[in-house]
Amino acid sequence: MAGSGTLHLRPEGDQILSVEELVVEFPAGGHTVHAVSGISFDVLDGETLGILGESGCGKSSAGRAVMQLPPPTSGSVRLGEDELTGLNDQAVRKRRARMQMIFQDPVSSLNPRRKVKDLVAEGPRIWGTEVTREQIESVLSAVGLEPAAVWDRRPHELSGGQCQRICIARALMLDPRVLICDEPVSSLDVSVQAQILNLLEETKKRYGLSMVFIAHDLAVVKNISDRIMVMYLGKVCEVLPAGRLADRALHPYTRLLLESVPEATPAGGSPDTGTQRFTGELPSPLNPPSGCRFRTRCPLATEECTTIEPQLREVGDGHYLACHNSGPGAAVA
Amino acid sequence: MSSSSALLGKRSATEPGSPVLVVEDLRTRIHTPRGDLQAVDGISFSLGRGETLGIVGESGSGKSVLGRTIMGLYTDGPVTTVTGRVTIAGKDVHALSAKELRSLWGADVGMVFQDPMTALNPVKKAGVHLTESLRRHRGMNRSQARARAEELLNLVGIPEPRRRLDQYPHELSGGMRQRVVIAMALANEPALLIADEPTTALDVTVQKQILDLLARLQGELGMAMVLISHNLGVVAGRADRVAVMYAGRVIEMADAATLFEAPHHPYTEALLAAIPRLHQPPHVRLEAIDGAPPNMIAPPVGCRFAPRCRYAQDDCSQVLPVLDPAAVDGVATPGHSFACHHPVNGGRH
């Protein structure tokens, strides 16, 4: 099964991360959950790829499969020169250290019984590397924490934003090339969210990182990404440069997302903009629709969508669309 | 099916023109082992029929405690101290007995909570949640209540309502569950609906469906609504007036368009600037608010936002500013008030 194709992959070159035909399936009481169905993407050195979608679209499963947490059902994940799939656990652990993950809930992703100084040094210590006090202090300062103030604290004594800074510091200690951030700001207040987004942007520049940024918030993803991949029910709908998201997106699902976002403007969240055309809810990933997976909710759906799965085609500079009935050259306007 | 207002049959508890909800100098103090936490600190407003008040603030600002104090879920007792007055449909909420409160809830005031899974009883079918309140408040018999429950599910846009009545909460999606919770809250056409983060647990496309639904039902039933959210976007298109809370106090209140266009309080301005916007180009540096909200057990003496405020001067840390009506260039701007010594956007008291 093709997850909308591979046309959007760029020629061999500066890729730091290449994912091809990634499939993630889980057994569920005699059935199979099709979480991710053969998606492909690549991340260039220094690039931030945003993965956008609602709950159940497979964005988190994809991020975790890239980390081999657990390994994908099938597909290839290459980090730099290293293929990560099909290796034994020990070999994966060794190669994977160059890729670090930041999770949604910063408080529960830290061991509540450890102090900040030990939390930050934990990664290198696992690898048998001794860490100096100066190293810990410098990484704490780099993530905007006052080392002396948090040194002996435990996670419950810190705010959510401070805990997320600790998580970023922990990741940086292992000198990663790629950060995979899974909804890193969705549990934070808007003022703290801005602090963490700015910090991720600074950190990326300072340490020369690449990033995969998984989130459901369109404006947040647009703010941090160079390129955005929109997912729906385990497939890719659209891949586009971040700057085109607001007014150049073409896929009916991306348009639905854009029209649903309530914006804090004097005009307000513009109720009733015609999204009533879109009905229903996400179909079950146990039994996804044939053809285009969005067709059950799509106002543009035709007979063709039931039988033929749309593949990504180029519709603009760096802009790829998997839809029969939208974009240039579509059968229906 | 006929229109929902005909279906529900009007039963208004208030005179036209008189406010449905009046909150006067409300203070909620929560007793903790470390000292008393002033969660709600002197809030007053009133709300008329069909009106929506949006309450926005970050976590810990007291917006949920305010909602629950209005409901009478926090009362004067061993755990909390409540002073001030809340009047719903002419009844003084905090003077009611436990029994009178139970007849207020569901009948005069409905509440929609953030997490529809925990708001529903997992071992009771969706239908039971609805028929329970219909039988208690309306004295309906089993079959009348069931027929009415089916109508209510239809009203909130649930397909195949008859089948859904016999399903348990875990068999419904998050959006469906929240629709059931809304149907419960509206079962007896309350004069007032308090919605505390009604869409925070939901996806953005479902969020829009639920907010549209609330707006439609409110229009049809003429309810007053208090819409509490951390998301300024959620209240922007839905509320007539918006109150911004910080550290237990309302620091600015205005009609929605004015508040988002020309806020006078530096906190409102900073909050709006911190939101990433879809129309901005990628990688724009966001205007974060440094620092964190104050400890509410021992809040600062003066303005609570002063330690984080870029405009703060000496008087800010000494004198607590009060919520006073605003004026621009000496002309009063009705309905707009703020609490700040050094306002922005040309605002004066």
Side-chain angles (χ1 to χ4, degrees):
Chain A
M1 194 179 342
S4 312
T6 55
L7 196 70
H8 60 300
L9 299 184
R10 284 152 297 191
E12 287 286 318
D14 285 343
Q15 276 89 348
I16 183 79
L17 183 67
S18 303
V19 175
E20 282 180 49
E21 299 292 326
L22 192 75
V23 175
V24 182
E25 290 172 350
F26 303 106
H31 300 277
T32 306
V33 176
H34 301 270
V36 180
S37 301
I39 64 163
S40 304
F41 59 90
D42 54 9
V43 182
L44 303 185
D45 198 7
E47 188 183 48
T48 300
L49 172 73
I51 303 184
L52 184 66
E54 294 183 282
S55 42
C57 77
K59 58 190 192 302
S60 292
S61 296
R64 302 186 67 119
V66 167
M67 285 296 287
Q68 312 292 312
L69 281 173
T73 311
S74 68
S76 146
V77 177
R78 261 183 307 133
L79 175 62
E81 298 296 304
D82 296 325
E83 173 65 47
L84 294 183
T85 49
L87 300 175
N88 65 34
D89 288 356
Q90 194 55 39
V92 167
R93 287 188 58 207
K94 205 168 212 157
R95 289 175 172 82
R96 183 175 58 191
R98 310 300 303 280
M99 191 157 59
Q100 289 292 317
M101 196 153 181
I102 311 280
F103 294 95
Q104 172 168 0
D105 184 347
V107 182
S108 67
S109 51
L110 296 172
N111 185 335
R113 300 165 69 109
R114 296 224 167 160
K115 294 179 176 175
V116 167
K117 59 177 182 188
D118 298 315
L119 286 166
V120 172
E122 195 175 6
R125 279 185 191 149
I126 287 171
W127 289 103
T129 316
E130 230 353 271
V131 183
T132 63
R133 189 183 177 100
E134 286 70 39
Q135 280 176 294
I136 301 175
E137 285 178 348
S138 105
V139 77
L140 283 174
S141 310
V143 297
L145 292 170
E146 175 61 48
V150 296
W151 195 255
D152 280 319
R153 300 284 186 98
R154 292 189 171 85
H156 72 91
E157 298 172 283
L158 303 171
S159 68
Q162 286 174 314
C163 285
Q164 199 57 294
R165 289 173 192 269
I166 303 279
C167 291
I168 295 169
R170 273 163 62 85
L172 293 176
M173 284 302 282
L174 285 160
D175 192 22
R177 299 289 310 280
V178 180
L179 275 189
I180 301 202
C181 307
D182 189 358
E183 300 272 11
V185 296
S186 26
S187 66
L188 304 173
D189 271 322
V190 56
S191 66
V192 183
Q193 167 181 296
Q195 294 172 9
I196 298 295
L197 287 172
N198 286 340
L199 172 65
L200 283 170
E201 195 82 64
E202 282 159 23
T203 310
K204 186 189 136 191
K205 287 204 187 88
R206 183 166 166 178
Y207 290 83
L209 302 174
S210 306
M211 217 167 5
V212 176
F213 191 97
I214 301 166
H216 70 281
D217 186 315
L218 284 87
V220 165
V221 170
K222 181 180 176 186
N223 178 268
I224 199 141
S225 304
D226 298 306
R227 199 178 204 216
I228 294 174
M229 177 166 90
V230 183
M231 284 185 70
Y232 183 79
L233 213 60
K235 300 264 182 181
V236 178
C237 300
E238 189 164 15
V239 177
L240 73 172
R244 293 172 77 110
L245 179 67
D247 38 23
R248 310 284 292 279
L250 293 166
H251 197 284
Y253 177 61
T254 320
R255 301 296 323 163
L256 168 65
L257 286 177
L258 285 163
E259 286 172 27
S260 302
V261 176
E263 281 246 72
T265 54
S270 56
D272 305 332
T273 47
T275 36
Q276 277 81 8
R277 295 177 299 141
F278 296 90
T279 48
E281 296 189 20
L282 194 73
S284 165
L286 286 169
N287 185 19
S290 64
C292 174
R293 289 191 174 178
F294 186 57
R295 69 178 165 82
T296 56
R297 296 170 71 187
C298 182
L300 304 180
T302 57
E303 194 56 38
E304 189 186 15
C305 306
T306 319
T307 48
I308 305 170
E309 189 192 321
Q311 298 291 305
L312 286 169
R313 60 193 161 93
E314 189 164 7
V315 292
D317 194 16
H319 188 164
Y320 300 84
L321 172 70
C323 177
H324 296 308
N325 299 326
S326 58
V332 184
Chain B
M1 109 168 306
S2 59
S3 92
S4 55
S5 48
L7 164 81
L8 290 162
K10 290 261 58 71
R11 188 183 60 95
S12 175
T14 47
E15 301 293 313
S18 72
V20 176
L21 169 68
V22 182
V23 174
E24 292 160 272
D25 197 31
L26 193 64
R27 290 166 203 269
T28 311
R29 190 182 279 273
I30 301 171
H31 309 302
T32 76
R34 294 184 194 181
D36 284 0
L37 192 150
Q38 191 74 55
V40 173
D41 191 10
I43 289 182
S44 306
F45 63 87
S46 72
L47 198 59
R49 252 178 75 80
E51 231 193 323
T52 301
L53 174 69
I55 297 182
V56 294
E58 297 185 276
S59 12
S61 62
K63 57 190 189 302
S64 288
V65 176
L66 172 64
R68 283 158 192 243
T69 310
I70 291 172
M71 281 291 283
L73 292 169
Y74 287 117
T75 49
D76 215 14
V79 185
T80 48
T81 309
V82 175
T83 60
R85 185 204 288 264
V86 178
T87 316
I88 296 175
K91 296 172 190 153
D92 183 346
V93 172
H94 292 274
L96 298 178
S97 68
K99 194 176 168 199
E100 289 168 324
L101 263 180
R102 281 200 299 277
S103 72
L104 180 87
W105 294 332
D108 293 314
V109 51
M111 187 150 184
V112 177
F113 296 92
Q114 170 170 355
D115 183 353
M117 192 66 218
T118 53
L120 296 171
N121 185 334
V123 299
K124 284 187 180 171
K125 292 174 180 172
V128 176
H129 288 91
L130 293 162
T131 51
E132 226 174 20
S133 116
L134 291 168
R135 298 183 69 187
R136 171 187 279 274
H137 293 295
R138 291 286 188 88
M140 289 185 179
N141 67 31
R142 198 183 295 264
S143 61
Q144 285 172 326
R146 195 175 158 87
R148 184 59 200 291
E150 195 180 322
E151 291 172 351
L152 282 164
L153 289 189
N154 204 353
L155 177 71
V156 296
I158 291 185
E160 302 177 73
R162 182 164 302 178
R163 189 167 69 84
R164 299 294 183 186
L165 283 176
D166 289 319
Q167 290 191 319
Y168 289 96
H170 76 267
E171 297 176 275
L172 306 171
S173 70
M176 287 286 175
R177 282 180 210 139
Q178 196 63 299
R179 286 172 198 263
V180 171
V181 172
I182 291 171
M184 276 166 73
L186 300 183
N188 296 299
E189 308 138 66
L192 172 68
L193 182 71
I194 297 181
D196 187 0
E197 303 269 12
T199 57
T200 306
L202 306 174
D203 273 321
V204 59
T205 54
V206 183
Q207 163 169 292
K208 182 167 162 53
Q209 294 172 4
I210 296 289
L211 291 172
D212 286 346
L213 171 70
L214 281 174
R216 175 170 68 83
L217 295 175
Q218 187 197 15
E220 288 173 5
L221 306 177
M223 285 182 303
M225 179 157 79
V226 177
L227 179 61
I228 301 172
S229 181
H230 73 286
N231 184 340
L232 285 94
V234 163
V235 302
R238 316 284 171 173
D240 304 308
R241 278 184 299 153
V242 178
V244 182
M245 283 187 72
Y246 187 79
R249 298 175 72 87
V250 171
I251 53 98
E252 183 158 18
M253 171 136 58
D255 68 85
T258 307
L259 190 91
F260 290 107
E261 193 163 293
H264 290 328
H265 200 287
Y267 176 66
T268 315
E269 183 190 57
L271 208 51
L272 287 167
I275 305 172
R277 305 289 187 150
L278 263 173
H279 61 77
Q280 287 168 341
H283 307 296
V284 166
R285 197 182 156 77
L286 299 168
E287 305 261 350
I289 309 175
D290 290 334
N295 174 355
M296 293 307 291
I297 290 174
V301 179
C303 173
R304 273 128 199 219
F305 185 59
R308 302 172 74 187
C309 181
R310 65 164 86 177
Y311 308 102
Q313 296 179 21
D314 289 346
D315 52 344
C316 297
S317 54
Q318 287 150 15
V319 184
L320 181 65
V322 290
L323 193 66
D324 276 334
V328 174
D329 300 332
V331 182
T333 44
H336 192 171
S337 46
F338 63 93
C340 178
H341 299 309
H342 304 284
V344 293
N345 287 323
R348 291 286 172 272
H349 285 305

